[in-house]
Amino acid sequence: HDAIGKLEHGCELFCFTKGQLLLVDILRCILDQTGPADLDIITWAIGNETIDKLAALRSAGKIKNMRLIIDYSAYSMHPDYCRKIRHVFGDESIRVTKNHAKVLILRNAERNLCVRSSMNLNVNRRLEYFEISDSKELADFFREFFEEWWKTKSTGLSFEYDGKYHGDELKKFGRNDDDELDFGVENVDITF
């Protein structure tokens, strides 16, 4: 709270952190100021403890709805972890793709806050940055991006795959056996 201060309407804030702040700490600080909000997340990774914190924020009513775009490769070999993400977010709230972007979008009737960061949603004990913008235009841009993914039910390999493909890929993301996962992306032309 000391680092971020009061987030005024229309604010633009840029901060460096040397490991003192985690992205989930920033999220909690924002929610303390905005009240309950919808949350869209783009990240490469989420730590186990952060999944629990997101679940607690949702149970407390601070997060109304959550959607997640996450990189599948980092955790494709950890079925228990994948089941936990699927349990907290729900299958229809997850898209998996090749991803390294880190963005949080928090929206409610009063605020449109966008957080861009070098941090994943895990422990980051190194020099990182984050930016917070209260911008309806930027939040609308990100919402359009998310809506396109959810409209197509794509995993993000392209926008042309159908819902069955997404369901099949998501099943692989959290399956129970110990076999190596194959998302078939080696020979796929990734287009956005």
Side-chain angles (χ1 to χ4, degrees):
H1 288 37
D2 290 341
I4 292 172
K6 184 174 182 195
L7 295 170
E8 302 288 345
H9 286 278
C11 71
E12 290 285 337
L13 176 70
F14 180 94
C15 294
F16 282 113
T17 174
K18 297 181 208 169
Q20 312 97 312
L21 300 174
L22 304 179
L23 196 50
V24 72
D25 298 327
I26 296 162
L27 172 62
R28 280 193 299 224
C29 178
I30 293 170
L31 288 168
D32 286 348
Q33 295 189 45
T34 64
D38 293 329
L39 173 64
D40 289 330
I41 300 170
I42 306 170
T43 191
W44 180 79
I46 301 178
N48 263 309
E49 67 287 344
T50 303
I51 298 169
D52 295 336
K53 290 175 182 177
L54 290 170
L57 288 168
R58 187 158 74 181
S59 293
K62 292 186 177 215
I63 298 174
K64 297 188 295 186
N65 299 297
M66 292 191 297
R67 293 187 295 186
L68 170 68
I69 297 172
I70 190 168
D71 189 272
Y72 63 81
S73 63
Y75 298 103
S76 62
M77 297 303 293
H78 304 282
D80 290 339
Y81 171 83
C82 295
R83 273 192 296 279
K84 187 173 184 178
I85 288 178
R86 293 172 71 189
H87 174 73
V88 170
F89 283 86
D91 286 355
E92 286 305 311
S93 295
I94 303 169
R95 296 295 182 266
V96 293
T97 189
K98 286 186 172 185
N99 177 62
H100 201 248
K102 293 95 175 175
V103 178
L104 305 176
I105 303 97
L106 294 98
R107 299 188 82 160
N108 61 22
E110 302 293 321
R111 303 302 293 267
N112 296 283
L113 289 156
C114 303
V115 180
R116 284 103 54 219
S117 179
S118 59
M119 293 181 272
N120 286 297
L121 277 162
N122 56 11
V123 176
N124 301 282
R125 301 293 182 210
R126 57 178 56 107
L127 180 65
E128 301 274 8
Y129 81 89
F130 65 94
E131 300 175 73
I132 302 173
S133 302
D134 185 333
S135 166
K136 184 176 183 325
E137 293 79 14
L138 186 57
D140 285 346
F141 167 80
F142 283 119
R143 179 176 56 196
E144 187 175 319
F145 177 78
F146 270 81
E147 293 302 323
E148 185 65 25
W149 283 61
W150 265 258
K151 181 174 66 179
T152 62
K153 296 188 179 283
S154 163
T155 63
L157 296 176
S158 82
F159 288 111
E160 298 173 17
Y161 289 90
D162 63 15
K164 181 180 181 323
Y165 182 85
H166 166 68
D168 291 345
E169 295 306 300
L170 193 58
K171 285 177 189 170
K172 291 178 193 176
F173 180 72
R175 68 185 201 180
N176 295 325
D177 59 36
D178 293 328
D179 293 340
E180 185 174 339
L181 295 176
D182 177 13
F183 282 82
V185 296
E186 292 78 18
N187 298 316
V188 174
D189 180 25
I190 307 299
T191 57
F192 296 91

